[in-house]
Amino acid sequence: MPDDATPDPYADPIAFGQRMQILRTKRGMSRPVVAGLLGMSQSWVKQVETGQIGMPKLPVILRIAELLRVRDLSDLTGDQSTSVDLFIGPGHSRLPEVRAAVNALSLSADRQAPPAEHVAARLAKAWQARHRAPNHREVLGELLPGLIRDAQLTVRQADTAAERRVGQAILSEVYSLSQFFVAYQPDSALLWRVAERGMVAAQESEDPHAIGVAAWLAAQAHRDSGPAHFDAADAMTMEALKFIQRFLPDADDRTIAIAGALQFEAGYTAARRGAKGEAWRWWDKANATAARLSPGYYHPVTSFSTAIMGAHAVTVAVELRAGGESVRQAIDADSTAIPSRPRLARHRIEEARAYQLDGQPETALATLERAHRAAPETIRYNGYARRIVLEETESRVPARRQRAAALAEQIGLLAA
């Protein structure tokens, strides 16, 4: 082999500890922070990273993977034969159709655009269908290509500036709906493209609700990219709240709701940072905003409502790694008041995380089974649920191991 040949990256594999250190540094997390969130000592983290301690057991590896937002478990373990996507679900069969609709450049006016009111009505029905469906990605995958094309055409053929702004608000929300389909699928570039186009359309619309929704989703995308992007998530959230603030005195329910949803997002990010006081202060603000909504109101995009605040409290406690508090919040939350099947399933997953944190793995598995019954596609694409199930397939308790294996097969975790 010539001296200038590219070396084989697997000839001298990087050890687990080195991989952990690289990923931790990439996420902008210090050893003390990682140690605290794992419930380990700083010296333990240092010993693992320097190779004084070998690769830990699977339950600990999975907790490290969750903390560092590792997408593929082999990126952390180095074992290329056991590639497991933790925070990216499988590609949906309709993903190519949705991708094609987003990527298409159609400048010719080969048909008349449908009226904006017609597209808006279809969009409202699409949101309703998503909330009612157990397999909501299948429903959205069928509806989105036509909605995207028609919303784009409505903007392009607008006759006046006012009509164009209305069309842009609708187009922005169509992109928002698209993000619910694309999220956690194996095309992160498409997710960011949809998020950016949604934000551009929202800004062109000058509509506070559209801007709030686009910012709410963009903040989530930043936060899910890891701790190094928490500041970007906060900046997006705060700027949107600042813009919406002046509309709130006379706002309708949907604008009030998006303000409340953004307030909770600020609390969510604070909880991910480990800032307990700040996280609960934002939750209190969101809860006060929810109290302003009309009785029974449920925001179609964010699910923000008085009913969802209990579920949000569970999430804050879980992200703060407070096992006992998160279980208490889970017991207090009224899940029967959540009308959306995918949102209910997401809440069940958060409850399962709470029970897992509190050392109740059997209850965690039972709760994940309830999440699966509510909306199979939600748990199939959720990294936290996948982590818990995979961890419990290694349980020393045979009955629990078998239960976890059955659930793993149901959600497609064991698929080749």
Side-chain angles (χ1 to χ4, degrees):
M1 179 180 291
D3 292 339
D4 61 352
T6 302
D8 181 356
Y10 298 107
D12 185 19
I14 299 175
F16 175 87
Q18 292 173 296
R19 290 174 180 273
M20 179 177 168
Q21 183 173 12
I22 290 169
L23 292 165
R24 174 181 61 77
T25 304
K26 182 180 178 182
R27 293 300 184 199
M29 302 178 77
S30 66
R31 278 178 180 163
V33 169
V34 169
L37 292 174
L38 288 174
M40 300 290 191
S41 66
Q42 295 181 39
S43 63
W44 182 88
V45 175
K46 182 178 180 180
Q47 288 175 324
V48 171
E49 291 185 346
T50 57
Q52 298 175 56
I53 297 177
M55 185 186 301
K57 293 183 178 180
L58 181 62
V60 179
I61 292 174
L62 290 170
R63 293 184 189 279
I64 295 170
E66 176 186 335
L67 182 62
L68 300 181
R69 298 297 293 180
V70 173
R71 299 285 184 177
D72 189 326
L73 198 58
S74 65
D75 290 342
L76 180 60
T77 64
D79 184 356
Q80 302 299 312
S81 67
T82 57
S83 177
V84 178
D85 288 330
L86 290 177
F87 288 89
I88 295 182
H92 196 278
S93 61
R94 293 188 182 273
L95 179 60
E97 300 171 51
V98 175
R99 183 192 295 117
V102 172
N103 291 341
L105 178 63
S106 178
L107 299 178
S108 60
D110 55 350
R111 63 187 177 90
Q112 181 66 36
E117 297 81 0
H118 176 70
V119 180
R122 285 166 55 197
L123 177 59
K125 289 182 178 179
W127 282 116
Q128 292 173 3
R130 174 187 178 268
H131 289 303
R132 293 169 181 166
N135 295 311
H136 48 284
R137 278 185 171 82
E138 180 64 28
V139 171
L140 293 184
E142 183 177 357
L143 296 174
L144 277 170
L147 263 176
I148 292 169
R149 287 190 290 266
D150 285 351
Q152 291 173 337
L153 196 61
T154 298
V155 171
R156 199 157 54 246
Q157 294 185 11
D159 293 325
T160 66
E163 289 178 353
R164 185 175 180 82
R165 285 195 295 272
V166 169
Q168 292 282 24
I170 295 170
L171 177 59
S172 176
E173 193 171 320
V174 169
Y175 282 133
S176 296
L177 182 63
S178 301
Q179 283 182 253
F180 281 87
F181 174 82
V182 176
Y184 305 114
Q185 294 205 54
D187 195 338
S188 57
L190 180 63
L191 176 65
W192 280 107
R193 192 152 59 249
V194 169
E196 289 168 357
R197 290 186 185 183
M199 179 58 72
V200 170
Q203 289 176 311
E204 291 291 329
S205 76
E206 301 179 7
D207 181 272
H209 177 261
I211 290 171
V213 169
W216 178 78
L217 283 164
Q220 291 185 23
H222 281 297
R223 186 178 60 240
D224 285 348
S225 297
H229 301 271
F230 285 176
D231 286 347
D234 279 336
M236 184 71 67
T237 302
M238 298 308 164
E239 188 65 26
L241 279 171
K242 180 180 177 182
F243 176 78
I244 294 172
Q245 188 65 39
R246 66 178 182 269
F247 298 97
L248 291 180
D250 302 313
D252 57 8
D253 278 334
R254 68 177 197 152
T255 304
I256 293 171
I258 194 57
L262 286 163
Q263 289 168 336
F264 173 69
E265 286 306 308
Y268 194 162
T269 305
R272 289 282 291 273
R273 292 180 188 274
K276 179 179 178 180
E278 184 183 357
W280 285 116
R281 279 194 296 273
W282 278 112
W283 183 92
D284 287 337
K285 289 182 180 180
N287 194 43
T289 300
R292 291 185 55 190
L293 296 170
S294 301
Y297 180 81
Y298 195 87
H299 191 253
V301 181
T302 67
S303 294
F304 190 79
S305 58
T306 55
I308 209 67
M309 291 311 300
H312 282 339
V314 176
T315 296
V316 170
V318 167
E319 292 296 344
L320 291 170
R321 297 293 196 271
E325 175 64 13
S326 58
V327 168
R328 187 183 71 77
Q329 294 291 351
I331 293 171
D332 289 345
D334 182 11
S335 58
T336 62
I338 301 176
S340 168
R341 294 187 68 158
R343 187 60 185 84
L344 175 58
R346 169 65 191 278
H347 173 54
R348 295 297 187 208
I349 293 168
E350 295 294 278
E351 287 181 319
R353 293 177 69 197
Y355 288 117
Q356 188 79 353
L357 272 175
D358 198 47
Q360 302 183 51
E362 193 72 47
T363 307
L365 276 178
T367 306
L368 288 179
E369 289 168 347
R370 296 170 72 189
H372 186 264
R373 288 194 293 272
E377 282 190 347
T378 295
I379 185 172
R380 184 177 176 86
Y381 287 82
N382 187 281
Y384 296 116
R386 292 158 69 87
R387 191 268 297 169
I388 292 172
V389 172
L390 186 59
E391 179 175 329
E392 291 307 317
T393 60
E394 297 288 321
S395 171
R396 294 181 179 180
V397 181
R400 195 160 76 227
R401 188 168 62 245
Q402 292 171 6
R403 191 173 189 176
L407 186 55
E409 185 174 10
Q410 286 180 316
I411 67 176
L413 189 56
L414 305 182

